[in-house]
Coordinates of all heavy atoms in Angstrom, one line a residue:
K19 N 143.8 -60.6 -149.0 CA 144.8 -61.2 -149.9 C 146.1 -60.4 -149.9 O 146.0 -59.2 -149.8 CB 144.2 -61.3 -151.3 CG 143.0 -62.2 -151.5 CD 142.5 -62.2 -152.9 CE 141.3 -63.1 -153.1 NZ 140.8 -63.2 -154.5
Q20 N 147.2 -61.1 -150.0 CA 148.5 -60.4 -150.1 C 148.9 -60.2 -151.6 O 149.0 -61.2 -152.3 CB 149.6 -61.1 -149.3 CG 150.9 -60.3 -149.2 CD 151.9 -61.0 -148.4 OE1 152.3 -62.1 -148.7 NE2 152.4 -60.3 -147.4
L21 N 149.0 -59.0 -152.0 CA 149.3 -58.7 -153.4 C 150.8 -58.5 -153.6 O 151.4 -57.6 -152.9 CB 148.5 -57.5 -153.9 CG 147.0 -57.6 -154.0 CD1 146.5 -56.3 -154.5 CD2 146.6 -58.8 -154.8
T22 N 151.4 -59.3 -154.4 CA 152.9 -59.1 -154.7 C 153.1 -58.5 -156.1 O 154.1 -57.9 -156.4 CB 153.6 -60.4 -154.6 OG1 153.0 -61.3 -155.6 CG2 153.5 -61.0 -153.2
E23 N 152.0 -58.6 -156.9 CA 152.0 -57.9 -158.2 C 150.6 -57.4 -158.5 O 149.6 -57.9 -158.0 CB 152.6 -58.8 -159.3 CG 151.6 -60.0 -159.7 CD 152.1 -60.7 -160.9 OE1 153.3 -60.5 -161.4 OE2 151.3 -61.5 -161.5
A24 N 150.6 -56.5 -159.4 CA 149.3 -55.9 -159.8 C 149.4 -55.2 -161.2 O 150.5 -55.0 -161.7 CB 148.8 -54.9 -158.7
V25 N 148.2 -55.0 -161.8 CA 148.2 -54.3 -163.0 C 148.6 -52.8 -162.8 O 148.1 -52.1 -162.0 CB 146.7 -54.3 -163.7 CG1 146.7 -53.4 -164.9 CG2 146.4 -55.7 -164.0
T26 N 149.6 -52.4 -163.5 CA 150.2 -51.1 -163.4 C 149.9 -50.2 -164.6 O 150.1 -49.0 -164.5 CB 151.7 -51.1 -163.1 OG1 152.3 -51.9 -164.1 CG2 152.0 -51.7 -161.8
K27 N 149.5 -50.8 -165.7 CA 149.2 -50.0 -166.9 C 148.3 -50.8 -167.9 O 148.5 -52.0 -168.0 CB 150.5 -49.6 -167.6 CG 150.3 -48.7 -168.8 CD 151.5 -48.0 -169.3 CE 152.5 -49.0 -169.9 NZ 153.6 -48.3 -170.6
V28 N 147.4 -50.1 -168.5 CA 146.6 -50.6 -169.6 C 146.8 -49.7 -170.8 O 146.7 -48.4 -170.7 CB 145.1 -50.7 -169.2 CG1 144.3 -51.2 -170.4 CG2 144.9 -51.6 -168.0
T29 N 147.1 -50.3 -171.9 CA 147.4 -49.5 -173.1 C 146.4 -49.9 -174.2 O 146.2 -51.1 -174.5 CB 148.8 -49.8 -173.6 OG1 149.7 -49.5 -172.6 CG2 149.1 -48.9 -174.9
W30 N 145.8 -48.9 -174.8 CA 144.9 -49.1 -176.0 C 145.6 -48.5 -177.2 O 146.0 -47.3 -177.2 CB 143.6 -48.4 -175.8 CG 142.7 -49.0 -174.7 CD1 141.6 -49.8 -174.9 CD2 142.7 -48.7 -173.3 NE1 141.0 -50.1 -173.7 CE2 141.6 -49.4 -172.7 CE3 143.4 -47.8 -172.5 CZ2 141.4 -49.4 -171.3 CZ3 143.2 -47.8 -171.1 CH2 142.2 -48.6 -170.6
T31 N 145.7 -49.3 -178.3 CA 146.4 -48.8 -179.5 C 145.4 -49.1 -180.7 O 144.8 -50.2 -180.8 CB 147.6 -49.6 -179.8 OG1 148.5 -49.5 -178.7 CG2 148.3 -49.1 -181.0
A32 N 145.2 -48.0 -181.5 CA 144.2 -48.1 -182.5 C 144.6 -49.0 -183.6 O 145.8 -49.0 -184.1 CB 143.9 -46.7 -183.1
D33 N 143.7 -49.8 -184.1 CA 144.0 -50.7 -185.3 C 143.6 -50.0 -186.6 O 144.1 -50.3 -187.6 CB 143.1 -52.0 -185.2 CG 143.7 -52.9 -184.2 OD1 144.8 -52.9 -183.9 OD2 142.9 -53.7 -183.6
G34 N 142.8 -48.9 -186.5 CA 142.4 -48.2 -187.7 C 142.6 -46.7 -187.5 O 143.7 -46.3 -187.2
K35 N 141.6 -45.9 -187.7 CA 141.7 -44.4 -187.7 C 141.9 -43.9 -186.3 O 142.3 -42.7 -186.2 CB 140.5 -43.8 -188.4 CG 140.3 -44.2 -189.8 CD 139.1 -43.5 -190.4 CE 138.9 -43.8 -191.9 NZ 137.7 -43.2 -192.5
G36 N 141.5 -44.6 -185.3 CA 141.6 -44.0 -183.9 C 140.4 -43.0 -183.7 O 139.3 -43.1 -184.3
I37 N 140.7 -42.0 -182.8 CA 139.7 -41.0 -182.5 C 139.9 -39.8 -183.4 O 140.9 -39.1 -183.2 CB 139.7 -40.6 -181.0 CG1 139.7 -41.9 -180.1 CG2 138.6 -39.7 -180.7 CD1 139.9 -41.5 -178.6
E38 N 139.1 -39.6 -184.3 CA 139.3 -38.5 -185.3 C 138.9 -37.2 -184.7 O 138.2 -37.1 -183.7 CB 138.4 -38.8 -186.6 CG 138.9 -40.1 -187.3 CD 138.1 -40.3 -188.5 OE1 138.5 -39.8 -189.6 OE2 137.0 -41.0 -188.5
P39 N 139.3 -36.0 -185.3 CA 139.0 -34.7 -184.8 C 137.5 -34.5 -184.7 O 136.7 -35.0 -185.6 CB 139.6 -33.8 -185.9 CG 140.7 -34.6 -186.5 CD 140.3 -36.0 -186.5
G40 N 137.1 -33.9 -183.6 CA 135.6 -33.7 -183.4 C 134.9 -34.8 -182.7 O 133.7 -34.7 -182.5
Y41 N 135.7 -35.9 -182.2 CA 135.0 -37.0 -181.6 C 135.8 -37.4 -180.3 O 136.9 -36.9 -180.0 CB 135.1 -38.3 -182.5 CG 134.1 -38.2 -183.7 CD1 134.5 -37.4 -184.8 CD2 132.9 -38.8 -183.6 CE1 133.6 -37.4 -185.9 CE2 132.0 -38.7 -184.7 CZ 132.3 -38.0 -185.8 OH 131.5 -37.8 -186.9
F42 N 135.1 -38.2 -179.5 CA 135.7 -38.7 -178.3 C 135.4 -40.2 -178.2 O 134.5 -40.7 -178.9 CB 135.2 -38.0 -177.0 CG 133.8 -38.4 -176.6 CD1 133.5 -39.5 -175.8 CD2 132.8 -37.6 -177.0 CE1 132.3 -39.8 -175.4 CE2 131.5 -37.9 -176.6 CZ 131.2 -39.0 -175.8
E43 N 136.1 -40.9 -177.4 CA 135.9 -42.4 -177.1 C 135.9 -42.7 -175.7 O 136.6 -42.0 -174.9 CB 137.0 -43.2 -177.8 CG 136.8 -44.7 -177.8 CD 136.0 -45.2 -178.9 OE1 136.3 -44.9 -180.1 OE2 134.9 -45.8 -178.6
K44 N 135.1 -43.7 -175.3 CA 135.1 -44.2 -173.9 C 135.8 -45.5 -173.8 O 135.5 -46.4 -174.6 CB 133.7 -44.2 -173.3 CG 133.1 -42.9 -173.0 CD 131.7 -43.0 -172.4 CE 131.1 -41.7 -172.0 NZ 129.8 -41.8 -171.4
F45 N 136.7 -45.7 -172.8 CA 137.4 -47.0 -172.7 C 137.0 -47.6 -171.3 O 137.5 -47.2 -170.3 CB 138.9 -46.8 -172.8 CG 139.3 -46.2 -174.1 CD1 139.4 -44.9 -174.3 CD2 139.7 -47.1 -175.1 CE1 139.8 -44.4 -175.6 CE2 140.1 -46.6 -176.3 CZ 140.1 -45.3 -176.6
P46 N 136.0 -48.5 -171.2 CA 135.5 -49.0 -170.0 C 136.5 -50.1 -169.4 O 137.0 -50.9 -170.1 CB 134.2 -49.6 -170.3 CG 133.9 -49.2 -171.7 CD 135.2 -49.0 -172.4
V47 N 136.6 -50.1 -168.0 CA 137.4 -51.0 -167.3 C 136.7 -51.4 -166.1 O 136.2 -50.5 -165.3 CB 138.8 -50.5 -167.0 CG1 139.7 -51.6 -166.3 CG2 139.5 -50.0 -168.2
S48 N 136.6 -52.7 -165.8 CA 136.1 -53.2 -164.5 C 137.2 -53.3 -163.5 O 138.3 -53.9 -163.8 CB 135.4 -54.6 -164.7 OG 135.1 -55.1 -163.4
V49 N 137.0 -52.6 -162.4 CA 138.1 -52.6 -161.4 C 137.6 -53.0 -160.0 O 136.4 -52.8 -159.7 CB 138.8 -51.2 -161.3 CG1 139.5 -50.9 -162.6 CG2 137.7 -50.1 -160.9
G50 N 138.5 -53.5 -159.1 CA 138.1 -53.8 -157.8 C 139.2 -54.7 -157.1 O 140.1 -55.1 -157.8
A51 N 139.0 -55.0 -155.9 CA 138.2 -54.3 -155.0 C 138.8 -52.9 -154.7 O 140.0 -52.8 -154.6 CB 138.0 -55.0 -153.7
L52 N 137.9 -51.9 -154.7 CA 138.4 -50.5 -154.5 C 138.9 -50.3 -153.0 O 138.3 -50.9 -152.1 CB 137.3 -49.5 -154.8 CG 136.8 -49.5 -156.3 CD1 135.5 -48.7 -156.4 CD2 137.9 -49.1 -157.2
P53 N 139.9 -49.5 -152.8 CA 140.5 -49.4 -151.5 C 139.5 -48.7 -150.6 O 138.7 -47.9 -151.0 CB 141.7 -48.5 -151.7 CG 141.5 -47.8 -153.0 CD 140.7 -48.8 -153.8
E54 N 139.7 -48.9 -149.3 CA 138.8 -48.4 -148.3 C 139.5 -47.2 -147.5 O 138.8 -46.6 -146.6 CB 138.3 -49.4 -147.3 CG 137.5 -50.5 -148.1 CD 136.9 -51.6 -147.1 OE1 136.1 -51.2 -146.3 OE2 137.3 -52.7 -147.2
D55 N 140.8 -47.0 -147.7 CA 141.5 -46.1 -146.9 C 141.9 -44.8 -147.7 O 142.8 -44.1 -147.3 CB 142.8 -46.7 -146.3 CG 143.7 -47.3 -147.5 OD1 143.2 -47.4 -148.6 OD2 144.8 -47.7 -147.1
T56 N 141.2 -44.5 -148.8 CA 141.4 -43.3 -149.5 C 140.1 -42.8 -150.2 O 139.2 -43.7 -150.4 CB 142.5 -43.5 -150.6 OG1 142.8 -42.2 -151.2 CG2 142.0 -44.5 -151.6
D57 N 140.0 -41.6 -150.5 CA 138.8 -41.0 -151.1 C 139.0 -40.9 -152.6 O 137.9 -40.7 -153.3 CB 138.5 -39.7 -150.5 CG 138.1 -39.7 -149.0 OD1 137.5 -40.7 -148.6 OD2 138.5 -38.8 -148.3
T58 N 140.2 -41.0 -153.1 CA 140.4 -40.8 -154.6 C 141.5 -41.7 -155.1 O 142.3 -42.2 -154.3 CB 140.8 -39.4 -154.9 OG1 142.0 -39.1 -154.2 CG2 139.8 -38.4 -154.5
L59 N 141.4 -42.0 -156.3 CA 142.5 -42.8 -157.0 C 142.9 -41.9 -158.2 O 142.1 -41.5 -159.0 CB 141.9 -44.1 -157.5 CG 141.7 -45.2 -156.4 CD1 141.1 -46.5 -157.1 CD2 143.0 -45.5 -155.7
V60 N 144.2 -41.8 -158.4 CA 144.7 -41.0 -159.5 C 145.3 -41.9 -160.6 O 146.1 -42.8 -160.3 CB 145.9 -40.0 -159.0 CG1 146.4 -39.3 -160.2 CG2 145.3 -39.1 -157.9
F61 N 144.8 -41.7 -161.8 CA 145.3 -42.5 -163.0 C 146.0 -41.6 -163.9 O 145.4 -40.8 -164.7 CB 144.1 -43.2 -163.7 CG 143.3 -44.1 -162.8 CD1 142.3 -43.7 -162.0 CD2 143.6 -45.5 -162.8 CE1 141.6 -44.5 -161.2 CE2 142.9 -46.4 -162.0 CZ 141.9 -45.9 -161.2

């Protein structure tokens, strides 16, 4: 497929308290198809 546009940013904004001190959060994203000509992706 020829891509002329793609997702360049995803933004999460808290509706409430967010991540409070002493805690962490995971933000899952389904991605693909992953490239075959590199060993890493930098976000």
Side-chain angles (χ1 to χ4, degrees):
K19 296 181 180 179
Q20 189 177 55
L21 298 180
T22 58
E23 70 171 13
V25 172
T26 53
K27 184 167 68 172
V28 177
T29 303
W30 291 265
T31 304
D33 286 335
K35 296 180 180 180
I37 308 171
E38 297 182 90
Y41 288 81
F42 72 87
E43 186 84 58
K44 287 183 179 181
F45 299 88
V47 182
S48 172
V49 296
L52 297 171
E54 300 183 64
D55 57 350
T56 185
D57 295 325
T58 59
L59 289 177
V60 179
F61 299 86

